[in-house]
Amino acid sequence: GDSVTQTEGLVTLTEGLPVMLNCTYQTIYSNPFLFWYVQHLNESPRLLLKSFTDNKRTEHQGFHATLHKSSSSFHLQKSSAQLSDSALYYCALTNNNNAPRFGAGTKLSVKP
Amino acid sequence: EAAVTQSPRSKVAVTGGKVTLSCHQTNNHDYMYWYRQDTGHGLRLIHYSYVADSTEKGDIPDGYKASRPSQENFSLILELASLSQTAVYFCASSDVGDYEQYFGPGTRLTVL
C-alpha cells in the first residue's frame, strides 16, 4: 500500500537559517496528490502546500516544495526560518478514492 | 465560521464506558475522516467515509466504530473505552478531486 516517510523526527534550527524537511513516498499510482500540513501547538493541522504536478514548484507563506515523481519526493523548504515557524509538519499522500497516508511528522523548533 | 466542528472538545471517561465523539461539517464535502494523535505517532487514520450510511476501516480501527448518518455528520464510538484510547481525536473532511483535509478543532479524550 501507499506510504509516506519523513526521516527527521525533530529539526532544531537557529532563526534565519534555511529550512528543509524531507518527505518521500511510495505508491503504485502515477498521479498522487502530495500535501504539507502544519500544526502549531494546541491547534489542529491546516494545509500549507499541495501539489499533483510533476516538477512544478508550489509556494505559500514563504515555504515551497516541488513534487518530483522520478525520486518520489516532496521536500519542504524555506530560505530563512522564523521563530513562528516552530510547529509540527506532516507530509501526506492521497490517491483517487484511497485513504490518505500521513507521515510520522517532523517537529521544527526554531531558536533565537 | 468554522466549517468542521467537534463535540465535546474534551472528555473524561471511565474504563469500560461508552464514548461517542461527534463531528459536523458545513463544507458540503463527501469525504469525512477520524484520526487520533498521540505523541510520537503522529496522525493515524481510524475510520473514514465516502458517502452517508457507509464507513471504511482505516489503519487502526480496533476498538472503534463509526457512523455516518448524513453527509454532514460523522461519529466515532468507543463501546468499551480503554486506557490506551487516551488521545486527541481529529475529524476532517475533504472534497472529491481535491483531497485537501479540513480539520476540526479536536477532542481531547482522557480515559481513567
PDB file of all heavy atoms in Angstrom, chain A residues 8-33:
ATOM      1  N   GLU A   8      13.141  12.885   9.537  1.00  0.00           N
ATOM      2  CA  GLU A   8      13.521  13.628  10.747  1.00  0.00           C
ATOM      3  C   GLU A   8      12.339  13.738  11.695  1.00  0.00           C
ATOM      4  O   GLU A   8      11.281  14.224  11.328  1.00  0.00           O
ATOM      5  CB  GLU A   8      14.006  15.034  10.405  1.00  0.00           C
ATOM      6  CG  GLU A   8      15.065  15.100   9.328  1.00  0.00           C
ATOM      7  CD  GLU A   8      14.474  15.500   7.975  1.00  0.00           C
ATOM      8  OE1 GLU A   8      13.233  15.531   7.825  1.00  0.00           O
ATOM      9  OE2 GLU A   8      15.277  15.781   7.064  1.00  0.00           O
ATOM     10  N   GLY A   9      12.547  13.287  12.909  1.00  0.00           N
ATOM     11  CA  GLY A   9      11.509  13.459  13.908  1.00  0.00           C
ATOM     12  C   GLY A   9      11.541  14.852  14.503  1.00  0.00           C
ATOM     13  O   GLY A   9      10.503  15.428  14.830  1.00  0.00           O
ATOM     14  N   LEU A  10      12.742  15.386  14.650  1.00  0.00           N
ATOM     15  CA  LEU A  10      12.931  16.708  15.235  1.00  0.00           C
ATOM     16  C   LEU A  10      14.033  17.429  14.467  1.00  0.00           C
ATOM     17  O   LEU A  10      15.097  16.855  14.231  1.00  0.00           O
ATOM     18  CB  LEU A  10      13.323  16.590  16.712  1.00  0.00           C
ATOM     19  CG  LEU A  10      13.759  17.867  17.427  1.00  0.00           C
ATOM     20  CD1 LEU A  10      12.599  18.857  17.511  1.00  0.00           C
ATOM     21  CD2 LEU A  10      14.286  17.547  18.823  1.00  0.00           C
ATOM     22  N   VAL A  11      13.734  18.672  14.095  1.00  0.00           N
ATOM     23  CA  VAL A  11      14.732  19.522  13.466  1.00  0.00           C
ATOM     24  C   VAL A  11      14.826  20.804  14.296  1.00  0.00           C
ATOM     25  O   VAL A  11      13.818  21.483  14.508  1.00  0.00           O
ATOM     26  CB  VAL A  11      14.350  19.868  12.007  1.00  0.00           C
ATOM     27  CG1 VAL A  11      15.300  20.906  11.438  1.00  0.00           C
ATOM     28  CG2 VAL A  11      14.362  18.603  11.150  1.00  0.00           C
ATOM     29  N   THR A  12      16.025  21.098  14.752  1.00  0.00           N
ATOM     30  CA  THR A  12      16.257  22.310  15.538  1.00  0.00           C
ATOM     31  C   THR A  12      17.155  23.242  14.747  1.00  0.00           C
ATOM     32  O   THR A  12      18.219  22.837  14.290  1.00  0.00           O
ATOM     33  CB  THR A  12      16.898  21.969  16.891  1.00  0.00           C
ATOM     34  OG1 THR A  12      16.057  21.049  17.592  1.00  0.00           O
ATOM     35  CG2 THR A  12      17.069  23.224  17.729  1.00  0.00           C
ATOM     36  N   LEU A  13      16.693  24.491  14.578  1.00  0.00           N
ATOM     37  CA  LEU A  13      17.405  25.473  13.770  1.00  0.00           C
ATOM     38  C   LEU A  13      17.527  26.787  14.507  1.00  0.00           C
ATOM     39  O   LEU A  13      16.699  27.105  15.361  1.00  0.00           O
ATOM     40  CB  LEU A  13      16.643  25.747  12.476  1.00  0.00           C
ATOM     41  CG  LEU A  13      16.591  24.682  11.394  1.00  0.00           C
ATOM     42  CD1 LEU A  13      15.615  25.145  10.315  1.00  0.00           C
ATOM     43  CD2 LEU A  13      17.964  24.444  10.817  1.00  0.00           C
ATOM     44  N   THR A  14      18.507  27.555  14.103  1.00  0.00           N
ATOM     45  CA  THR A  14      18.614  28.931  14.567  1.00  0.00           C
ATOM     46  C   THR A  14      17.864  29.839  13.597  1.00  0.00           C
ATOM     47  O   THR A  14      17.924  29.633  12.372  1.00  0.00           O
ATOM     48  CB  THR A  14      20.088  29.361  14.659  1.00  0.00           C
ATOM     49  OG1 THR A  14      20.764  28.488  15.579  1.00  0.00           O
ATOM     50  CG2 THR A  14      20.199  30.803  15.151  1.00  0.00           C
ATOM     51  N   GLU A  15      17.175  30.798  14.143  1.00  0.00           N
ATOM     52  CA  GLU A  15      16.429  31.763  13.337  1.00  0.00           C
ATOM     53  C   GLU A  15      17.303  32.327  12.224  1.00  0.00           C
ATOM     54  O   GLU A  15      18.464  32.675  12.448  1.00  0.00           O
ATOM     55  CB  GLU A  15      15.946  32.880  14.258  1.00  0.00           C
ATOM     56  CG  GLU A  15      15.014  33.888  13.630  1.00  0.00           C
ATOM     57  CD  GLU A  15      14.572  34.937  14.635  1.00  0.00           C
ATOM     58  OE1 GLU A  15      15.233  35.083  15.678  1.00  0.00           O
ATOM     59  OE2 GLU A  15      13.553  35.600  14.372  1.00  0.00           O
ATOM     60  N   GLY A  16      16.724  32.407  11.010  1.00  0.00           N
ATOM     61  CA  GLY A  16      17.459  32.963   9.880  1.00  0.00           C
ATOM     62  C   GLY A  16      18.120  31.927   8.997  1.00  0.00           C
ATOM     63  O   GLY A  16      18.466  32.214   7.852  1.00  0.00           O
ATOM     64  N   LEU A  17      18.296  30.701   9.514  1.00  0.00           N
ATOM     65  CA  LEU A  17      18.884  29.643   8.702  1.00  0.00           C
ATOM     66  C   LEU A  17      17.822  28.993   7.822  1.00  0.00           C
ATOM     67  O   LEU A  17      16.624  29.062   8.123  1.00  0.00           O
ATOM     68  CB  LEU A  17      19.543  28.600   9.607  1.00  0.00           C
ATOM     69  CG  LEU A  17      20.795  29.062  10.344  1.00  0.00           C
ATOM     70  CD1 LEU A  17      21.373  27.921  11.172  1.00  0.00           C
ATOM     71  CD2 LEU A  17      21.853  29.599   9.374  1.00  0.00           C
ATOM     72  N   PRO A  18      18.262  28.347   6.725  1.00  0.00           N
ATOM     73  CA  PRO A  18      17.282  27.704   5.831  1.00  0.00           C
ATOM     74  C   PRO A  18      16.674  26.446   6.447  1.00  0.00           C
ATOM     75  O   PRO A  18      17.290  25.763   7.255  1.00  0.00           O
ATOM     76  CB  PRO A  18      18.100  27.373   4.583  1.00  0.00           C
ATOM     77  CG  PRO A  18      19.513  27.327   5.056  1.00  0.00           C
ATOM     78  CD  PRO A  18      19.617  28.304   6.179  1.00  0.00           C
ATOM     79  N   VAL A  19      15.450  26.180   6.000  1.00  0.00           N
ATOM     80  CA  VAL A  19      14.708  25.005   6.466  1.00  0.00           C
ATOM     81  C   VAL A  19      14.577  24.020   5.320  1.00  0.00           C
ATOM     82  O   VAL A  19      14.271  24.400   4.180  1.00  0.00           O
ATOM     83  CB  VAL A  19      13.284  25.405   6.919  1.00  0.00           C
ATOM     84  CG1 VAL A  19      12.500  24.156   7.354  1.00  0.00           C
ATOM     85  CG2 VAL A  19      13.338  26.435   8.028  1.00  0.00           C
ATOM     86  N   MET A  20      14.811  22.748   5.615  1.00  0.00           N
ATOM     87  CA  MET A  20      14.474  21.694   4.661  1.00  0.00           C
ATOM     88  C   MET A  20      13.985  20.479   5.441  1.00  0.00           C
ATOM     89  O   MET A  20      14.713  19.897   6.232  1.00  0.00           O
ATOM     90  CB  MET A  20      15.650  21.294   3.790  1.00  0.00           C
ATOM     91  CG  MET A  20      15.269  20.197   2.778  1.00  0.00           C
ATOM     92  SD  MET A  20      16.439  20.071   1.442  1.00  0.00           S
ATOM     93  CE  MET A  20      15.825  18.653   0.565  1.00  0.00           C
ATOM     94  N   LEU A  21      12.740  20.123   5.191  1.00  0.00           N
ATOM     95  CA  LEU A  21      12.146  18.942   5.811  1.00  0.00           C
ATOM     96  C   LEU A  21      11.898  17.923   4.712  1.00  0.00           C
ATOM     97  O   LEU A  21      11.305  18.232   3.696  1.00  0.00           O
ATOM     98  CB  LEU A  21      10.832  19.299   6.509  1.00  0.00           C
ATOM     99  CG  LEU A  21      10.890  20.438   7.529  1.00  0.00           C
ATOM    100  CD1 LEU A  21       9.532  20.596   8.205  1.00  0.00           C
ATOM    101  CD2 LEU A  21      11.981  20.232   8.552  1.00  0.00           C
ATOM    102  N   ASN A  22      12.359  16.706   4.958  1.00  0.00           N
ATOM    103  CA  ASN A  22      12.315  15.686   3.917  1.00  0.00           C
ATOM    104  C   ASN A  22      10.999  14.903   3.913  1.00  0.00           C
ATOM    105  O   ASN A  22      10.439  14.598   4.967  1.00  0.00           O
ATOM    106  CB  ASN A  22      13.472  14.710   4.094  1.00  0.00           C
ATOM    107  CG  ASN A  22      14.806  15.363   3.781  1.00  0.00           C
ATOM    108  OD1 ASN A  22      14.955  16.027   2.771  1.00  0.00           O
ATOM    109  ND2 ASN A  22      15.770  15.183   4.671  1.00  0.00           N
ATOM    110  N   CYS A  23      10.560  14.583   2.703  1.00  0.00           N
ATOM    111  CA  CYS A  23       9.376  13.738   2.528  1.00  0.00           C
ATOM    112  C   CYS A  23       9.561  12.884   1.285  1.00  0.00           C
ATOM    113  O   CYS A  23       9.787  13.403   0.194  1.00  0.00           O
ATOM    114  CB  CYS A  23       8.116  14.587   2.386  1.00  0.00           C
ATOM    115  SG  CYS A  23       6.637  13.620   1.968  1.00  0.00           S
ATOM    116  N   THR A  24       9.496  11.587   1.451  1.00  0.00           N
ATOM    117  CA  THR A  24       9.483  10.668   0.319  1.00  0.00           C
ATOM    118  C   THR A  24       8.258   9.780   0.448  1.00  0.00           C
ATOM    119  O   THR A  24       7.714   9.603   1.534  1.00  0.00           O
ATOM    120  CB  THR A  24      10.755   9.807   0.253  1.00  0.00           C
ATOM    121  OG1 THR A  24      10.903   9.096   1.486  1.00  0.00           O
ATOM    122  CG2 THR A  24      11.981  10.661   0.003  1.00  0.00           C
ATOM    123  N   TYR A  25       7.832   9.228  -0.658  1.00  0.00           N
ATOM    124  CA  TYR A  25       6.607   8.440  -0.628  1.00  0.00           C
ATOM    125  C   TYR A  25       6.737   7.220  -1.532  1.00  0.00           C
ATOM    126  O   TYR A  25       7.627   7.144  -2.388  1.00  0.00           O
ATOM    127  CB  TYR A  25       5.401   9.284  -1.057  1.00  0.00           C
ATOM    128  CG  TYR A  25       5.468   9.773  -2.490  1.00  0.00           C
ATOM    129  CD1 TYR A  25       4.941   9.022  -3.536  1.00  0.00           C
ATOM    130  CD2 TYR A  25       6.084  10.984  -2.783  1.00  0.00           C
ATOM    131  CE1 TYR A  25       5.016   9.458  -4.837  1.00  0.00           C
ATOM    132  CE2 TYR A  25       6.160  11.434  -4.093  1.00  0.00           C
ATOM    133  CZ  TYR A  25       5.633  10.677  -5.119  1.00  0.00           C
ATOM    134  OH  TYR A  25       5.705  11.116  -6.414  1.00  0.00           O
ATOM    135  N   GLN A  26       5.840   6.276  -1.304  1.00  0.00           N
ATOM    136  CA  GLN A  26       5.732   5.093  -2.149  1.00  0.00           C
ATOM    137  C   GLN A  26       4.286   4.920  -2.556  1.00  0.00           C
ATOM    138  O   GLN A  26       3.385   4.991  -1.703  1.00  0.00           O
ATOM    139  CB  GLN A  26       6.215   3.849  -1.408  1.00  0.00           C
ATOM    140  CG  GLN A  26       7.720   3.766  -1.227  1.00  0.00           C
ATOM    141  CD  GLN A  26       8.157   2.411  -0.692  1.00  0.00           C
ATOM    142  OE1 GLN A  26       7.550   1.914   0.257  1.00  0.00           O
ATOM    143  NE2 GLN A  26       9.184   1.831  -1.275  1.00  0.00           N
ATOM    144  N   THR A  27       4.054   4.715  -3.837  1.00  0.00           N
ATOM    145  CA  THR A  27       2.716   4.446  -4.335  1.00  0.00           C
ATOM    146  C   THR A  27       2.825   3.770  -5.693  1.00  0.00           C
ATOM    147  O   THR A  27       3.797   3.989  -6.424  1.00  0.00           O
ATOM    148  CB  THR A  27       1.893   5.737  -4.462  1.00  0.00           C
ATOM    149  OG1 THR A  27       0.580   5.413  -4.934  1.00  0.00           O
ATOM    150  CG2 THR A  27       2.525   6.725  -5.433  1.00  0.00           C
ATOM    151  N   ILE A  28       1.835   2.971  -6.014  1.00  0.00           N
ATOM    152  CA  ILE A  28       1.820   2.328  -7.332  1.00  0.00           C
ATOM    153  C   ILE A  28       1.084   3.195  -8.347  1.00  0.00           C
ATOM    154  O   ILE A  28       1.112   2.916  -9.543  1.00  0.00           O
ATOM    155  CB  ILE A  28       1.164   0.938  -7.269  1.00  0.00           C
ATOM    156  CG1 ILE A  28      -0.310   1.042  -6.839  1.00  0.00           C
ATOM    157  CG2 ILE A  28       1.959   0.012  -6.351  1.00  0.00           C
ATOM    158  CD1 ILE A  28      -1.066  -0.265  -6.959  1.00  0.00           C
ATOM    159  N   TYR A  29       0.431   4.250  -7.862  1.00  0.00           N
ATOM    160  CA  TYR A  29      -0.333   5.100  -8.747  1.00  0.00           C
ATOM    161  C   TYR A  29       0.546   6.197  -9.349  1.00  0.00           C
ATOM    162  O   TYR A  29       1.469   6.701  -8.714  1.00  0.00           O
ATOM    163  CB  TYR A  29      -1.519   5.717  -7.992  1.00  0.00           C
ATOM    164  CG  TYR A  29      -2.493   4.678  -7.490  1.00  0.00           C
ATOM    165  CD1 TYR A  29      -2.385   4.165  -6.200  1.00  0.00           C
ATOM    166  CD2 TYR A  29      -3.503   4.182  -8.309  1.00  0.00           C
ATOM    167  CE1 TYR A  29      -3.258   3.192  -5.744  1.00  0.00           C
ATOM    168  CE2 TYR A  29      -4.391   3.218  -7.862  1.00  0.00           C
ATOM    169  CZ  TYR A  29      -4.261   2.720  -6.581  1.00  0.00           C
ATOM    170  OH  TYR A  29      -5.127   1.763  -6.136  1.00  0.00           O
ATOM    171  N   SER A  30       0.213   6.603 -10.556  1.00  0.00           N
ATOM    172  CA  SER A  30       1.067   7.537 -11.286  1.00  0.00           C
ATOM    173  C   SER A  30       0.728   9.003 -11.032  1.00  0.00           C
ATOM    174  O   SER A  30       1.516   9.879 -11.391  1.00  0.00           O
ATOM    175  CB  SER A  30       0.990   7.248 -12.787  1.00  0.00           C
ATOM    176  OG  SER A  30      -0.354   7.333 -13.225  1.00  0.00           O
ATOM    177  N   ASN A  31      -0.420   9.276 -10.436  1.00  0.00           N
ATOM    178  CA  ASN A  31      -0.831  10.670 -10.221  1.00  0.00           C
ATOM    179  C   ASN A  31      -1.233  10.944  -8.768  1.00  0.00           C
ATOM    180  O   ASN A  31      -2.391  11.255  -8.490  1.00  0.00           O
ATOM    181  CB  ASN A  31      -1.983  11.033 -11.163  1.00  0.00           C
ATOM    182  CG  ASN A  31      -1.560  10.989 -12.612  1.00  0.00           C
ATOM    183  OD1 ASN A  31      -0.601  11.643 -13.004  1.00  0.00           O
ATOM    184  ND2 ASN A  31      -2.255  10.193 -13.408  1.00  0.00           N
ATOM    185  N   PRO A  32      -0.281  10.859  -7.872  1.00  0.00           N
ATOM    186  CA  PRO A  32      -0.610  11.114  -6.470  1.00  0.00           C
ATOM    187  C   PRO A  32      -0.768  12.600  -6.176  1.00  0.00           C
ATOM    188  O   PRO A  32      -0.214  13.444  -6.877  1.00  0.00           O
ATOM    189  CB  PRO A  32       0.608  10.550  -5.733  1.00  0.00           C
ATOM    190  CG  PRO A  32       1.735  10.761  -6.684  1.00  0.00           C
ATOM    191  CD  PRO A  32       1.145  10.539  -8.058  1.00  0.00           C
ATOM    192  N   PHE A  33      -1.520  12.898  -5.117  1.00  0.00           N
ATOM    193  CA  PHE A  33      -1.627  14.253  -4.583  1.00  0.00           C
ATOM    194  C   PHE A  33      -0.747  14.304  -3.331  1.00  0.00           C
ATOM    195  O   PHE A  33      -0.896  13.467  -2.438  1.00  0.00           O
ATOM    196  CB  PHE A  33      -3.069  14.565  -4.177  1.00  0.00           C
ATOM    197  CG  PHE A  33      -4.019  14.706  -5.333  1.00  0.00           C
ATOM    198  CD1 PHE A  33      -4.401  13.607  -6.082  1.00  0.00           C
ATOM    199  CD2 PHE A  33      -4.553  15.950  -5.656  1.00  0.00           C
ATOM    200  CE1 PHE A  33      -5.286  13.729  -7.141  1.00  0.00           C
ATOM    201  CE2 PHE A  33      -5.447  16.079  -6.714  1.00  0.00           C
ATOM    202  CZ  PHE A  33      -5.810  14.971  -7.454  1.00  0.00           C
TER     203      PHE A  33
END
